[in-house]
Amino acid sequence: MDPIVTTLIAIILTGLAYFIYQAYEANKFWKKAGIPHKKPLLFLGNWPLEMLYFKKGFLESIRDYLKDFPDDEIVGFYDFTKPRLMIKNIDAIDKILVKDFMHFVDRGFPIDKRNSFDISLFSMTGKEWRAVRYKLSPLFTTTKLKSMYGPMAECSQSLTSILDKADESQDIDVKEYIGCFAMDVIGSSAYGIDAKNLAQPDNEFRRMGKKSFQFDFLNMLKFLVLNLMPILAKLLKLSFNKRDVADYFCKIIRDTIDYRKKNGIVRNDFLQMFMTLKEQKTIEFHTKDPDDDYLRMESEQSVENIEFTDDMMIGNAFAFFQAGFEATASAILMTLYELSKHTEIQDKVRKEIKYYVEEADGSLTYDALKKMTYLEQCVKETLRMYSPAPVLQRVCTKEYTLPNGFKITVGITIFIPIVTVHKDPQIYPEPEEYRPERFNPDQKLPAGAFIPFGNGPRICIAMRFALLEVKHCIAKLLINHEFKLSPNSKPFRQDVKSVFATPADPLLFNIKKISAA
């Protein structure tokens, strides 16, 4: 055999042997630490083989894994070859997310700054994240939300006009309508883009939006490379985002920015505020509404002055754009699903909605919506049962000792299993039952028990925008229509290819128009 070929084969085999050895050694981490865990598979860790061929989803895999540790407050887990620590105790969760946040500042998602669409508040770390978070906070104050409520209302009117034509005897799958509504809202309210998804549901804008969240074998392969071979991933410029989707939406954002600059157009939306931030370096808080307190950060005076670059503007615009698609649409759909199963709750919500709309002279205003506490309870109960994300992820940036004495070293990633916390019978008796009264304002839940948007300084900055959109859509639909679950609709089961509460089978409704509003 040719000596060169022999040498190459030897190098490849040596590299493979070293790679296998490293993975084998990594699988001893939790055993050495004395943390309860299951024996991992080589390279796959504790992810089941069924995930590779889409027989089991991410959420179900996490939930099934933790079933074997009912009494353990911390559990070891192998995310492929990476050791992760699952935290189930809500007191510890509250400390990690809020009180001792400075030990867990980062989320730990690898990004390649050569991809501008990856540079967002979600993935930023350390001082850069803190500075940009501080700069972006004023974009989500009550004043700003009110300014974006008008376009949101226009989108919901288009949605109700479509459903007005439904025959009560028809089985209607509203998922696509709600998805188009969510995309129209984020396009119009946030970026001044009239995408006309409800009018033209097969347009490229909608197709690209849906493609963004489609998960197939190639995505699984890319995910494996990003986790197992970060150096190769960097060489290949791999991203968690799909490049064609990111390029498409980033081009729309850039073109809209250029058009506004050339024509002197100013709108009250996120994109305009990004542009203002880029030009003026800062945006001030102009209100003292108590609802805005969650946006503020401790020690704001110590935040460093980091330039808000073009890449940051594009990356964050794309991130907020993307976040407004699937998660909010899922929350709306699943709220309708539960209200259709529990018609007495639906009637009670509708009664509250009508009362405050009549009080506002027949208009579904921002202030009227804010008074609808029972509607908010229903939305929160939906978010408890069908959380937007199954886990929260944080990385230890400063050594930390848990209450039980276990020391978390720098670099260890924490998984907070929202799916387990929200279904804990000690916190939520009969957790599979839909009970909005759990969130009655007179009842106080323990800190760390309700975390669909996270908590602490890294709580979802757009949380109130998302809640406003969900509540507004539900109120607009219920004041005009009565929803019943069709006898032909199958029980809900989650699509294994989605991290959101996306149904694997169509949820079919019988919709009756009851009034005009």
Side-chain angles (χ1 to χ4, degrees):
M1 185 179 290
D2 190 308
I4 296 177
V5 175
T6 303
T7 302
L8 285 174
I9 292 173
I11 292 172
I12 292 170
L13 290 176
T14 301
L16 183 60
Y18 178 76
F19 192 48
I20 292 172
Y21 172 77
Q22 288 291 87
Y24 179 76
E25 286 297 305
N27 284 355
K28 298 178 181 180
F29 188 88
W30 291 124
K31 184 178 181 179
K32 292 178 180 178
I35 298 297
H37 65 285
K38 289 183 183 179
K39 185 177 179 180
L41 297 170
L42 199 64
F43 299 122
L44 277 182
N46 291 125
W47 294 118
L49 283 169
E50 294 95 321
M51 277 192 65
L52 292 181
Y53 45 90
F54 302 110
K55 292 295 182 181
K56 182 178 283 191
F58 184 69
L59 182 147
E60 188 181 359
S61 298
I62 293 289
R63 186 171 53 207
D64 288 351
Y65 182 83
L66 290 174
K67 280 180 182 178
D68 291 339
F69 304 95
D71 301 320
D72 293 295
E73 295 185 343
I74 61 172
V75 178
F77 183 85
Y78 289 96
D79 180 15
F80 301 105
T81 59
K82 307 291 179 60
R84 314 299 194 200
L85 188 65
M86 298 271 199
I87 307 289
K88 295 167 60 182
N89 179 274
I90 61 170
D91 292 331
I93 289 172
D94 184 54
K95 288 180 180 179
I96 287 169
L97 296 179
V98 185
K99 299 172 185 174
D100 299 326
F101 168 75
M102 292 311 296
H103 292 263
F104 301 93
V105 176
D106 299 339
R107 284 199 172 100
F109 291 102
I111 64 167
D112 187 340
K113 289 193 175 183
R114 293 173 297 176
N115 299 324
S116 61
F117 49 77
D118 279 346
I119 305 173
S120 73
L121 196 62
F122 182 82
S123 57
M124 284 177 176
T125 61
K127 293 178 180 179
E128 185 178 55
W129 163 79
R130 189 175 183 82
V132 174
R133 168 66 163 73
Y134 176 67
K135 289 176 182 289
L136 294 184
S137 292
L139 275 63
F140 296 92
T141 59
T142 299
T143 300
K144 301 298 184 185
L145 292 180
K146 284 183 176 180
S147 71
M148 290 181 278
Y149 188 74
M152 187 181 293
E154 292 176 9
C155 294
S156 68
Q157 184 57 50
S158 298
L159 176 60
T160 54
S161 296
I162 291 172
L163 295 184
D164 282 347
K165 302 171 185 175
D167 188 310
E168 187 181 356
S169 62
Q170 285 181 297
D171 287 347
I172 306 293
D173 179 4
V174 298
K175 179 176 180 290
E176 184 62 20
Y177 296 130
I178 291 172
C180 289
F181 162 78
M183 292 189 73
D184 279 346
V185 167
I186 198 69
S188 178
S189 299
Y191 301 103
I193 300 168
D194 184 10
K196 293 184 172 63
N197 293 291
L198 281 164
Q200 302 169 10
D202 293 326
N203 68 24
E204 189 177 12
F205 191 92
R206 176 59 179 156
R207 288 199 304 273
M208 281 295 193
K210 288 194 291 186
K211 185 178 180 180
S212 180
F213 295 97
Q214 290 170 352
F215 200 71
D216 54 26
F217 181 76
L218 286 177
N219 292 110
M220 176 67 78
L221 187 61
K222 183 172 68 172
F223 190 78
L224 285 169
V225 174
L226 283 161
N227 273 273
L228 297 176
M229 294 172 278
I231 296 175
L232 177 60
K234 190 171 184 178
L235 288 172
L236 297 174
K237 292 185 70 174
L238 292 183
S239 166
F240 285 106
N241 291 304
K242 295 180 178 178
R243 185 167 295 277
D244 60 335
V245 173
D247 288 344
Y248 173 78
F249 285 111
C250 287
K251 183 179 185 304
I252 290 177
I253 293 167
R254 288 191 179 96
D255 289 348
T256 304
I257 291 171
D258 290 342
Y259 182 79
R260 290 188 187 187
K261 285 180 178 179
K262 289 177 182 177
N263 295 278
I265 295 173
V266 177
R267 284 179 55 103
N268 284 320
D269 56 25
F270 289 159
L271 191 58
Q272 191 67 48
M273 287 182 274
F274 282 136
M275 294 170 66
T276 301
L277 181 56
K278 175 69 174 61
E279 294 169 4
Q280 300 180 3
K281 313 300 183 187
T282 185
I283 296 176
E284 300 293 332
F285 275 94
H286 294 295
T287 65
K288 292 186 178 179
D289 193 299
D291 287 342
D292 297 339
D293 287 345
Y294 90 105
L295 293 168
R296 297 187 179 274
M297 297 171 63
E298 296 178 6
S299 306
E300 291 174 348
Q301 296 82 0
S302 66
V303 174
E304 294 191 9
N305 184 23
I306 292 177
E307 181 186 1
F308 192 70
T309 65
D310 285 339
D311 282 347
M312 287 181 185
M313 179 167 63
I314 296 298
N316 279 287
F318 175 62
F320 288 131
F321 206 38
Q322 219 181 12
F325 293 168
E326 199 74 10
T328 48
S330 174
I332 294 167
L333 178 64
M334 298 318 298
T335 301
L336 287 176
Y337 173 69
E338 288 295 337
L339 293 180
S340 298
K341 291 200 301 180
H342 303 87
T343 54
E344 72 286 356
I345 297 178
Q346 182 181 156
D347 291 341
K348 185 177 178 179
V349 178
R350 184 178 292 107
K351 184 177 179 181
E352 179 189 63
I353 295 167
K354 286 188 173 183
Y355 176 84
Y356 287 112
V357 166
E358 289 172 5
E359 187 180 71
D361 297 324
S363 297
L364 181 58
T365 63
Y366 179 96
D367 291 327
L369 193 65
K370 189 175 179 180
K371 296 176 182 178
M372 300 175 190
T373 55
Y374 190 64
L375 170 61
E376 182 158 323
Q377 288 174 230
C378 292
V379 172
K380 285 183 174 179
E381 178 67 345
T382 298
L383 292 172
R384 179 193 69 81
M385 294 184 69
Y386 310 96
S387 181
V391 299
L392 297 175
Q393 180 172 313
R394 298 289 185 270
V395 172
C396 182
T397 52
K398 182 181 177 183
E399 189 175 278
Y400 184 74
T401 303
L402 289 171
N404 67 354
F406 179 75
K407 285 188 178 181
I408 304 175
T409 55
V410 173
I412 291 295
T413 297
I414 304 298
F415 274 2
I416 297 172
I418 301 175
V419 61
T420 301
V421 173
H422 285 183
K423 297 292 181 74
D424 186 343
Q426 299 299 317
I427 305 171
Y428 302 102
E430 298 185 90
E432 297 300 331
E433 294 295 318
Y434 187 76
R435 295 179 180 173
E437 61 269 18
R438 301 182 204 272
F439 295 95
N440 189 302
D442 296 331
Q443 295 186 16
K444 189 171 179 63
L445 286 169
F450 184 66
I451 47 175
F453 297 99
N455 204 358
R458 287 209 86 137
I459 194 171
C460 174
I461 195 173
M463 174 185 70
R464 284 175 58 224
F465 179 83
L467 286 173
L468 177 67
E469 181 181 344
V470 174
K471 288 162 59 180
H472 173 80
C473 184
I474 295 296
K476 185 69 175 179
L477 291 177
L478 291 189
I479 203 170
N480 286 280
H481 305 93
E482 180 182 291
F483 286 78
K484 291 182 180 179
L485 200 62
S486 166
N488 299 318
S489 188
K490 296 179 181 179
F492 172 82
R493 62 185 182 92
Q494 184 167 340
D495 184 351
V496 296
K497 294 183 180 180
S498 175
V499 297
F500 301 109
T502 304
D505 307 300
L507 299 179
L508 304 176
F509 297 88
N510 299 135
I511 304 172
K512 177 183 178 182
K513 180 174 169 55
I514 55 175
S515 67

